[in-house]
Amino acid sequence: MNCPDLPRYRPLLSDAQARLTHEVESLDERGRRATLSIPAERPLTVYVDKRELVTLMTLGGAPEALTLGYLRNQRLVRSIEEVVSVQVDWSVDAVAVVTRSGIQGIEERTAKKVVTTGCGQGSVFGGLMDEVDQITLPPDARLPQSVVYRIVETIRTQQSIYKQAGSVHGCALFSNTGELLYFVEDVGRHNAVDAIAGLMWLEGMTGADKVFYTTGRLTSEMVIKGAQMGIPFLLSRSGTTQMGHMVAEKVGMSLLARCSGRHFLLLSGQERLVFQPELLELPLPVRA
């Protein structure tokens, strides 16, 4: 993992552990009995200064980072220095967040919700596009085609809950040279991206020289969150939506969809990708 870009304050965090899979009995089409691992799913109710805010359905792999990233990406907390502590207690399926001076106007800011297309019915408080016009991504950011292929191959070989139990989405943060920094899985991709946002916040990482990868589609919610994190490149093995594409073009983000093997579709930010056509003549890595 890279060293943090900037030294940062860290709030007091719990280290809540939860089982990520659950075993159930199954019968196949021939009536044969087997034990099957399925992803865990549990509610996590977020309390901010003793006020109930939201209940997130989550795998529970990184609940403290998920909570921080949720508050960040919902634009409810502007800096990590405003957060005193994040304490998760799985015995009551809750997390208590204490801030220094409260969230000003929290009732008004959380009154309006937009239910998004994210798995698990993600929601974004306030106007979905309110701050998009204020986001500026680094104009000189470039990504070689070889790094795209390195990222795709890293994800393909990554050990994951998905390979063990299925039914989850994964998100990953890479450096612009293709080094894997974080990999998070959850029952919804919006939770996974929030958890990575929280981890970046904790480590003081900026997004200008980073690449974000998701197994899910690039919806407007995913693009907006990536832009808020300052990341100029979003990759997916799936596709995008019309609004996701519109937001990406608006902020100058590069969207690469249908990333598999040597194939990808560059849908926006074409000037950022450094094409290397000679790579297409090389043999593909041997699949395990």
Side-chain angles (χ1 to χ4, degrees):
M1 185 178 298
N2 281 351
C3 294
D5 298 335
L6 300 168
R8 290 295 294 265
Y9 158 84
R10 292 174 68 90
L12 179 64
L13 302 176
S14 58
D15 185 19
Q17 301 294 318
R19 292 187 62 182
L20 303 183
T21 60
H22 177 72
E23 292 188 345
V24 297
E25 294 297 316
S26 67
L27 293 175
D28 69 7
E29 70 283 355
R30 298 182 183 273
R32 293 174 297 196
R33 189 177 303 274
T35 300
L36 177 69
S37 291
I38 61 176
E41 183 181 18
R42 48 183 61 86
L44 181 65
T45 301
V46 180
Y47 292 86
V48 178
D49 299 322
K50 300 183 178 180
R51 181 187 189 276
E52 183 176 342
L53 180 63
V54 68
T55 297
L56 305 172
M57 299 305 298
T58 178
L59 192 67
E64 295 85 5
L66 167 61
T67 302
L68 282 171
Y70 182 85
L71 295 174
R72 176 187 184 183
N73 282 336
Q74 301 294 343
R75 304 182 294 278
L76 295 173
V77 177
R78 295 292 179 171
S79 72
I80 198 168
E81 288 80 7
E82 297 176 30
V83 181
V84 175
S85 62
V86 179
Q87 299 293 305
V88 176
D89 184 351
W90 284 124
S91 69
V92 291
D93 294 328
V95 53
V97 179
V98 177
T99 66
R100 296 195 183 281
S101 53
I103 299 176
Q104 186 175 6
I106 188 171
E107 290 80 8
E108 295 79 8
R109 294 170 66 183
T110 59
K112 180 182 177 183
K113 296 183 183 180
V114 177
V115 177
T116 73
T117 52
C119 298
Q121 296 244 319
S123 64
V124 176
F125 291 118
L128 192 64
M129 303 287 289
D130 282 352
E131 299 185 10
V132 168
D133 289 337
Q134 302 174 29
I135 296 174
T136 301
L137 297 177
D140 57 346
R142 297 293 183 270
L143 188 67
Q145 190 170 354
S146 59
V147 173
V148 174
Y149 292 156
R150 181 183 177 187
I151 289 172
V152 171
E153 181 63 14
T154 298
I155 291 296
R156 186 184 72 82
T157 58
Q158 177 73 19
Q159 292 300 312
S160 65
I161 298 297
Y162 179 83
K163 290 181 179 178
Q164 178 184 355
S167 303
V168 297
H169 278 294
C171 290
L173 184 73
F174 288 85
S175 71
N176 58 8
T177 60
E179 178 188 2
L180 177 62
L181 304 176
Y182 297 121
F183 180 76
V184 174
E185 292 176 294
D186 213 317
V187 291
R189 62 186 179 277
H190 54 90
N191 280 354
V193 68
D194 283 348
I196 288 179
L199 291 168
M200 290 176 67
W201 225 9
L202 285 170
E203 297 300 331
M205 285 186 174
T206 59
D209 58 348
K210 306 298 189 299
V211 182
F212 194 88
Y213 178 94
T214 177
T215 58
R217 62 191 178 276
L218 298 170
T219 64
S220 57
E221 180 187 23
M222 296 295 288
V223 175
I224 289 173
K225 287 181 177 183
Q228 287 175 331
M229 294 153 66
I231 299 174
F233 302 99
L234 263 64
L235 279 62
S236 174
R237 72 180 182 198
S238 184
T240 188
T241 65
Q242 178 184 2
M243 193 168 181
H245 181 259
M246 180 191 73
V247 175
E249 290 203 316
K250 193 176 186 68
V251 299
M253 179 184 289
S254 296
L255 291 188
L256 285 86
R258 308 294 182 185
C259 298
S260 178
R262 295 285 167 79
H263 176 68
F264 61 80
L265 297 174
L266 178 58
L267 304 177
S268 64
Q270 288 85 356
E271 72 282 357
R272 295 185 184 277
L273 187 68
V274 181
F275 282 92
Q276 297 170 286
E278 67 276 8
L279 298 177
L280 299 174
E281 305 304 319
L282 299 177
L284 286 168
V286 177
R287 292 183 176 268

